[in-house]
Structures are given as structure tokens and as C-alpha cells.
Amino acid sequence: MNEIKKHILNPEKWIDLHADYLFNYTITRISDRDLAKDLVQDTFFAGLKAKENFQGKASERTWLISILKRKIIDQYRKMNSAKGRAEIKMSFYADGEHEGEWIEERVPSSWEAEVEKNIESSELNAVLEKCIGNLPEKYRTVFKMKTIQDFDTEVICKELDITASNLWVIIHRARTQLRKCMEDNWFKK
Amino acid sequence: MKISCDEATKICDQNQYKEASFLDKLKLTFHLFLCKKCGQYSHQNNVMTKCYEKHKLFEIKKNNCLKDEEKKCMKEELKTKI
């Protein structure tokens, strides 16, 4: 029987070998740069602490990623806490006789005819980034994973532990909020 | 067949990712036929999607790597714990 190669850990080289990879993995899931950096650092610390548990079956990187994944999930849980649930401005009446109808001041108003030309401007990204930044953390994460990172719906639902219908409600609210924000700060300015 | 503006625009959003069901798309078309406000939204939604596509390229171009000094800091902190 062939001897299976046993992997070993080499913490001195972790930063050089894995820091960029782990960071890239994190930043596509957690849009905050500083937070992503902290999670990577925490992963290395946790890895050191758990060194004894490493059995050498998986590669060093795979093992570190599995620690990082748990850290990211913990982060998502925090997003569901009070702070992460910051208010989002609703575009529709939530109840009463007008339930589901547009709230007057959030009805889409007509944009100028040069809209198409307008979106070619390089300044648009700065404004859009600001509008996305205004979304509550959870909405921002879901919206960016779906729209900017192109993750599959199932993947996002699995990672964030939400249902598909939940995801679409979040995407819907994020997009109506972003439309309004871009109307006020770009298209009608 | 009748749906609210909230539902209609939700389907409209879902449709931007090509993930709305056939029945939902039918309900949306029916709603858009009668509702100008949502028609406006639907039209602008296409523009917004173009903006997001553009933003995507901008995000990709952004350097998603750690800076050398950040790695240096990490290294030093890690060393103290080894």
C-alpha cells in the first residue's frame, strides 16, 4: 500500500504562503477591508492555538480555510444582531389600506434623457459606492455577493444561513433603496 | 393575477438576475400593463443593472491583496505567539 503523504504545519511561512489567498477569500464575502484583515489575522492565531489538532490529512491551506469559514459565519451572525439590523428606508407601505403600494416620496421620478450617457462617467462609481455603503451591513453583504461577486443564490443562502425568499426580499429592499439614492445623488442632481 | 407594487418590483428585481419564475414574470407583465410607477421602476432597473455591471469591473480592478506593510505587521504579531 502506498504511503499517504502527511501534511505538516509551518506557521513561520503562513503569512507568505497563505495571507493573500485567505484575504481574497474573505474580502469577497465581507466587504469591509479592515474587518477582513482582522478575520485573517484571527484565523492564523486560532490556527496556532489548534496546532495540536491538525492531523495532516488536508493541506495546510485547506485546514486554515476551514477555520476562516467558521470565523466568517460568526461574523454573519453578528450582522443579525441589533447593530447589523440598522433601519432600511422602506419604499412601500408595510400595512394599512395602502399595503404594498409605493410610498409617495419614494415613487420613481423621471430621469433625464441623457441617462445612458451619464452612466459612462467615471465619477458614477464613487457615488454608487457611497450609496452601497449606506446600506445596513447585512443588506450590503447579500447585495454585493449576489450582484458584484456573482455568487449563486444557493451558495449565499448556505453561507449566510438564510432562505431564498429571504434573500430576494433583501435584494429587493437593497435595490429600491439604491435606486432612490442614485436618483437623489446622481440622476437628478 | 393581481399583485401589489411591492411584489411587482420584487419580481422585477429577481428578473434582473434571470431568476424569476415564468408565472411571476406573467404577473409582472400584467401589473406593468396597468401601473406606470412600476413601469418607470422597471425601466430604471435596467439602467441600475448597467451601473452595477460597471461597478463590478471597478471592484475587480481594485487591488484585493494585502499591502506589504500589513503583511509585515501580521508576521510580527504572529511571531510573538509562535
Side-chain angles (χ1 to χ4, degrees), chain A:
Chain A
M1 206 176 92
N2 283 335
E3 185 84 8
I4 298 165
K5 191 179 159 245
K6 224 176 171 210
H7 296 277
I8 48 158
L9 295 180
N10 196 348
E12 281 86 9
K13 290 195 173 160
W14 277 356
I15 308 286
D16 290 325
L17 292 176
H18 309 301
D20 278 329
Y21 184 86
L22 295 193
F23 182 72
N24 217 338
Y25 184 94
T26 316
I27 199 79
T28 55
R29 290 162 168 82
I30 305 275
S31 35
D32 186 309
R33 203 177 182 285
D34 289 328
L35 190 59
K37 204 175 77 184
D38 288 345
L39 287 178
V40 172
Q41 180 78 299
D42 284 350
T43 300
F44 289 133
F45 291 159
L48 270 186
K49 258 195 197 161
K51 222 164 58 176
E52 311 305 319
N53 302 334
F54 183 70
Q55 294 170 343
K57 282 180 191 155
S59 74
E60 191 175 56
R61 180 175 283 185
T62 308
W63 185 69
L64 286 169
I65 284 282
S66 71
I67 297 173
L68 175 61
K69 273 187 184 165
R70 281 198 296 271
K71 300 248 169 241
I72 292 175
I73 289 172
D74 285 345
Q75 188 54 42
Y76 287 150
R77 293 224 174 94
K78 269 186 218 158
M79 274 181 219
N80 285 325
S81 68
K83 192 172 156 271
R85 256 190 279 121
E87 194 84 57
I88 191 151
K89 277 234 170 114
M90 298 297 243
S91 298
F92 304 91
Y93 290 105
D95 45 33
E97 61 169 321
H98 291 297
E99 186 183 343
E101 286 176 25
W102 285 99
I103 289 171
E104 214 49 61
E105 75 264 18
R106 304 197 57 97
V107 171
S109 64
S110 168
W111 294 349
E112 304 305 312
E114 62 253 280
V115 158
E116 293 284 333
K117 210 169 74 200
N118 236 339
I119 70 169
E120 292 309 319
S121 163
S122 57
E123 291 153 59
L124 178 127
N125 279 319
V127 179
L128 188 52
E129 196 165 34
K130 222 174 174 181
C131 286
I132 294 174
N134 283 343
L135 294 171
E137 200 177 358
K138 190 175 182 182
Y139 286 77
R140 189 168 63 232
T141 302
V142 174
F143 173 79
K144 283 186 95 175
M145 281 177 93
K146 185 72 195 150
T147 317
I148 309 293
Q149 318 287 352
D150 275 334
F151 279 108
D152 281 339
T153 302
E154 300 95 89
V155 174
I156 302 172
C157 289
K158 213 175 144 213
E159 285 201 17
L160 271 62
D161 194 23
I162 54 175
T163 63
S165 77
N166 209 321
L167 174 138
W168 289 115
V169 169
I170 290 173
I171 295 281
H172 172 48
R173 291 197 187 144
R175 286 185 77 113
T176 53
Q177 172 119 334
L178 288 172
R179 191 213 67 82
K180 173 74 174 149
C181 182
M182 289 301 283
E183 178 170 296
D184 294 345
N185 297 293
W186 182 260
F187 292 113
K188 304 251 348 173
K189 218 172 175 183

Side-chain angles (χ1 to χ4, degrees), chain B residues 44-79:
Chain B
Q44 291 175 353
N45 218 357
N46 293 323
V47 179
M48 289 307 293
T49 295
K50 276 189 201 156
C51 294
Y52 301 141
E53 285 297 320
K54 205 170 161 259
H55 194 66
K56 195 191 286 178
L57 300 176
F58 168 79
E59 289 266 312
I60 290 167
K61 269 191 226 146
K62 258 205 233 162
N63 194 1
N64 269 348
C65 286
L66 289 161
K67 296 188 195 105
D68 285 341
E69 62 260 40
E70 287 175 328
K71 278 194 243 183
K72 216 176 133 198
C73 282
M74 276 191 169
K75 249 186 208 173
E76 269 155 26
E77 276 191 58
L78 194 63
K79 237 184 225 166

